[in-house]
Amino acid sequence: MTMNKKLLFILWGVLFVLCAGLGFLPETSGWMTAVSVLFFLPPALLLYQADRKKDRHTLLLVRNLSALSLAVTLVTLVLNFVLAVSSETLGNVLHYVLTIVSAPMICSGYWVLSLFLWACLLMASFRLLRKK
């Protein structure tokens, strides 16, 4: 039994909004880490279904979203470090951008976990696209 592709995208979006909102809380907890890991389940299921149904479009979409998230996260992190001596307001704005763009990363409290899971999605989509 497979879930509807549209439902999986909606669930992924809802989890993104939830993670983004939780990322603004001052402290993280174990359940927030669980939600941030759960965030990666819908795209993993999308990749699995896309591979079985030979759906190149979904594979490309997950690949592009993964690459975009990792790239924007990298740029925002670098800007945060480079502009650390700048104004506090600019630092806060960059942190808010990072919280939204990298929602599961900030929500979980374990940055490397989220970056690793984004990279897993990216590499899996590359591998599946190469098969097609």
Side-chain angles (χ1 to χ4, degrees), residues 41-53:
L41 183 59
L45 290 172
L46 284 165
L47 286 177
Y48 174 75
Q49 288 181 4
D51 182 43
R52 292 189 66 189
K53 295 179 180 178

Side-chain angles (χ1 to χ4, degrees), residues 17 23 28 36 38 47-48 53 59 62 70-71 73-74 79 82 88 95-96 99 103 109 128:
V17 171
T28 59
S36 69
L38 186 62
L47 286 177
Y48 174 75
K53 295 179 180 178
L59 293 173
V62 172
L70 287 167
T73 298
L74 175 65
L79 283 174
V82 169
E88 183 179 343
H95 183 72
Y96 297 148
T99 300
L128 294 173

Side-chain angles (χ1 to χ4, degrees), residues 5-6 9 12 46-47 49-51 53-65 125 128-129 132:
K5 181 168 77 168
K6 183 178 180 180
F9 274 112
W12 196 16
L46 284 165
L47 286 177
Q49 288 181 4
D51 182 43
K53 295 179 180 178
K54 311 280 190 253
D55 182 1
R56 186 171 174 79
H57 180 263
T58 300
L59 293 173
L60 288 169
L61 185 58
V62 172
R63 181 202 64 189
N64 292 345
L65 288 172
S125 61
L128 294 173
L129 281 165
K132 305 290 173 231

Side-chain angles (χ1 to χ4, degrees), residues 19 22-23 25 27-37 104 106-108:
C19 286
L22 291 173
L25 296 178
E27 294 184 26
T28 59
S29 64
W31 68 272
M32 290 169 65
T33 302
V35 169
S36 69
V37 171
I106 302 297
C107 173
S108 76

Side-chain angles (χ1 to χ4, degrees), residues 113-132:
L113 176 63
S114 175
L115 293 172
F116 174 74
L117 292 173
W118 274 120
C120 287
L121 285 177
L122 183 63
M123 293 299 109
S125 61
F126 276 139
R127 189 183 130 269
L128 294 173
L129 281 165
R130 204 174 318 130
K131 278 179 37 178
K132 305 290 173 231

